[in-house]
Amino acid sequence: MALIEVKNLVKTFDGKAVLQGINLELSEGQSKVLMGASGCGKSTLLRCLNLLLSPSSGQIIFKGEDITRPKVDIRKIREDIGFVFQDFALYRHLTVEENATLGLRKLKKMKMKEAVEKATYELERVGMFEHRNKYPAQLSGGQKQRAAIVRALAMDPAVLFLDEPTSSLDPQMSREVVNVINKLFLDNITMLCVTHDAFLAKYISDTIVFIDEGVVVAEDIAERLFYESADPRIKQFFMSVIDHR
Amino acid sequence: MTFWNILIILARGAGYTILVTLASISAGLAVGLLLAVLGTMQHKAVKLFLAAYTYIFRGLPVLVLLFIVFFGLPGIGIRISPFVSMVLSLGLISGAYLAEVFRGAIAAVDRDEILAAEAMGMNRAEIFLYITMPQMFRMSVPGMINEFTSILKYTPFAYTVGIPEIMKEAMSLAAITLRGLEIYLAVGIIYFIIYKLFVLLFMALEKRFRIPGLAPE
């Protein structure tokens, strides 16, 4: 059974359908990357999946439960979905460690010692332990994004959503973050990532889902989608995002 | 009686001045915080109430409100002690100003952080408590210091309702000795010292809780 199953998902803004019937499945331990031109609905889809945006119609089945039905416990679902944002969105008044332990202490009601132990494990996993007492303003972009990943992972989510995790970073910092996400991929962390970064997509995905104008056009492994697709929309997109040097 | 003796006699009233100031600061913070929390709600009636509150209490002189509370309310059977009348009047007015300071600070909290907290599973109250409020207080420090010192400067009005603070002591002393210039100069010096101590205390607190990147250093 799939961890997440999306059935005919539609999202409209002011009468304009951004998602026009998305169908998608993500199994446990699987990592998929959502790609497509700007404005195709990738980020909207990600935000619909943890109900930061309410879908207009369609179904989202998460762990066997339809989370689009009324009176669903949104809080419990969100606790189970880690979310990493493009612009990090770290809490500026908290240190890296406090960012990672806040959800554990306040939402999961974990004791401080236990929360710190959990955070320490995740900080070490992404090479951020030595920066645990720094505030976000004292970190580089790459470190901020790694801290954001730690914050999401600390909650032990069933799935990790990443919304353009490298697009605010310069190439060197981007590489730093790609390595971390690749490590998570190799650890079989279930992930759904939105990106324009073909390098990231290749190294962290089982398959890439290509979206165009709010519908899934194709889903395949990176190599085939990058170089062998006959669809002109896909060919044109990857011609523009792949560094051919 | 030397100038030094005058200073010592007046300093006895300083205790009341500090007490009225601290109590009024607490009342102002409570009112300001309540108004700031209400300000985060989208309800039309709440917004109308806040606009009316701010409009009225920012336009009302402290002395007028104090007289309404202390001398006016007994007319309808409500008797309030001088100390509570003073604290209530200053608290209600400074609360209106502090609410504006807090409102600005709340608006400066990064929307992405709120979104991240929502995505984590926090509800509105938790987001306010753990994300918005700690940042709001830190970003409000300059505005709060400004308002707190205003409160201190309004405390001489306490003498009009019989609180034995510095000003009341000074007036009694001036009436007996007829050395008004020295006595009121001494009052000024004492107020300046209290003001300076308050500012130093607030600055030390601000420094202690300062966070890199969150407020001007």
Side-chain angles (χ1 to χ4, degrees):
Chain A
M1 190 177 67
L3 179 72
I4 300 177
E5 199 178 338
V6 182
K7 293 179 183 172
N8 205 23
L9 193 74
V10 175
K11 176 66 186 173
T12 57
F13 292 104
D14 300 325
K16 186 180 182 291
V18 176
L19 302 179
Q20 305 190 45
I22 295 276
N23 291 294
L24 184 74
E25 275 190 19
L26 184 72
S27 300
E28 213 168 297
Q30 205 176 23
S31 176
K32 290 190 179 183
V33 168
L34 305 174
M35 297 188 87
S38 296
C40 73
K42 311 178 295 285
S43 293
T44 302
L45 172 60
L46 215 54
R47 281 161 200 237
C48 280
L49 293 184
N50 79 338
L51 305 174
L52 280 175
L53 292 173
S54 311
S56 304
S57 66
Q59 272 189 318
I60 302 164
I61 316 291
F62 179 63
K63 287 182 157 180
E65 185 191 0
D66 181 2
I67 61 171
T68 52
R69 68 182 164 76
K71 290 185 181 171
V72 72
D73 187 353
I74 296 178
R75 178 188 172 123
K76 281 284 155 222
I77 290 155
R78 287 179 180 162
E79 275 183 35
D80 218 6
I81 298 175
F83 208 113
V84 175
F85 293 84
Q86 178 180 345
D87 293 321
F88 329 120
L90 290 168
Y91 308 131
R92 290 178 295 167
H93 61 299
L94 302 178
T95 62
V96 170
E97 187 177 86
E98 288 165 345
N99 261 278
T101 55
L102 183 72
L104 295 174
R105 290 187 297 115
K106 305 301 181 189
L107 300 176
K108 292 194 181 269
K109 308 292 177 200
M110 216 179 246
K111 292 233 162 57
M112 186 63 169
K113 189 169 173 266
E114 209 183 334
V116 170
E117 275 171 17
K118 175 68 182 144
T120 301
Y121 170 77
E122 299 299 348
L123 285 164
E124 283 173 343
R125 190 181 195 175
V126 304
M128 282 294 289
F129 183 72
E130 62 185 295
H131 303 294
R132 67 191 182 284
N133 293 322
K134 289 184 182 170
Y135 287 95
Q138 296 170 311
L139 302 173
S140 69
Q143 289 166 344
K144 280 180 192 170
Q145 197 56 293
R146 283 192 283 154
I149 291 170
V150 167
R151 181 176 65 183
L153 287 175
M155 296 289 279
D156 259 337
V159 58
L160 185 63
F161 288 176
L162 302 120
D163 190 5
E164 307 262 16
T166 56
S167 53
S168 295
L169 305 173
D170 65 34
Q172 191 192 340
M173 288 179 186
S174 172
R175 193 61 65 97
E176 199 179 286
V177 171
V178 171
N179 288 339
V180 166
I181 304 174
N182 175 249
K183 201 170 163 215
L184 302 180
F185 170 64
L186 297 174
D187 286 346
N188 289 321
I189 301 285
T190 313
M191 290 190 285
L192 194 58
C193 175
V194 166
T195 187
H196 281 106
D197 183 343
F199 180 77
L200 171 71
K202 186 178 170 184
Y203 286 102
I204 67 153
S205 67
D206 291 308
T207 60
I208 294 174
V209 178
F210 188 83
I211 298 176
D212 189 50
E213 293 188 351
V215 290
V216 173
V217 174
E219 179 173 348
D220 212 332
I221 59 166
E223 294 294 334
R224 273 208 293 270
L225 208 61
F226 287 179
Y227 305 112
E228 295 170 24
S229 175
D231 189 316
R233 292 170 296 182
I234 300 173
K235 269 173 122 172
Q236 193 188 354
F237 175 79
F238 286 112
M239 278 290 285
S240 64
V241 298
I242 293 173
D243 187 349
H244 291 280
R245 281 173 294 177
Chain B
M1 185 182 279
T2 63
F3 188 69
W4 182 246
N5 292 131
I6 292 171
L7 270 176
I8 289 171
I9 292 167
L10 293 179
R12 285 183 208 145
Y16 275 101
T17 298
I18 292 169
L19 192 65
V20 169
T21 305
L22 290 178
S24 301
I25 285 174
S26 305
L29 278 175
V31 172
L33 192 59
L34 178 69
L35 297 176
V37 172
L38 289 175
T40 62
M41 295 177 182
Q42 298 301 317
H43 202 281
K44 208 174 172 183
V46 174
K47 286 201 175 297
L48 201 67
F49 164 74
L50 290 177
Y53 184 96
T54 309
Y55 188 73
I56 292 168
F57 284 95
R58 287 177 73 177
L60 203 58
V62 174
L63 196 58
V64 173
L65 182 61
L66 179 62
F67 278 22
I68 291 170
V69 172
F70 188 72
F71 297 114
L73 290 184
I76 54 167
I78 302 169
R79 291 188 184 281
I80 301 174
S81 72
F83 181 78
V84 174
S85 298
M86 186 67 207
V87 170
L88 191 67
S89 304
L90 263 178
L92 288 171
I93 288 177
S94 68
Y97 285 95
L98 283 169
E100 287 298 296
V101 172
F102 292 153
R103 196 179 59 81
I106 288 172
V109 175
D110 191 350
R111 279 297 309 157
D112 285 348
E113 292 180 48
I114 306 290
L115 194 66
E118 268 180 56
M120 192 182 257
M122 286 190 201
N123 59 32
R124 281 173 61 110
E126 287 164 334
I127 292 172
F128 188 80
L129 203 58
Y130 304 131
I131 311 299
T132 310
M133 201 167 72
Q135 295 196 30
M136 178 198 82
F137 272 123
R138 286 183 173 95
M139 289 191 277
S140 298
V141 167
M144 283 197 293
I145 291 178
N146 205 22
E147 189 51 35
F148 294 166
T149 52
S150 290
I151 288 174
L152 171 67
K153 288 173 192 169
Y154 280 123
T155 56
F157 288 142
Y159 92 90
T160 61
V161 291
I163 296 173
E165 48 74 66
I166 305 171
M167 202 62 190
K168 188 160 191 315
E169 297 287 340
M171 289 180 84
S172 305
L173 202 60
I176 298 165
T177 62
L178 301 176
R179 290 166 66 180
L181 180 63
E182 291 157 87
I183 289 167
Y184 292 120
L185 202 60
V187 169
I189 289 170
I190 292 172
Y191 264 104
F192 185 76
I193 291 168
I194 296 173
Y195 162 78
K196 212 58 202 163
L197 287 174
F198 265 100
V199 170
L200 286 173
L201 174 72
F202 295 138
M203 297 300 264
L205 284 174
E206 195 269 334
K207 198 174 172 187
R208 166 73 183 77
F209 293 105
R210 183 181 291 164
I211 285 171
L214 199 61
E217 293 186 36

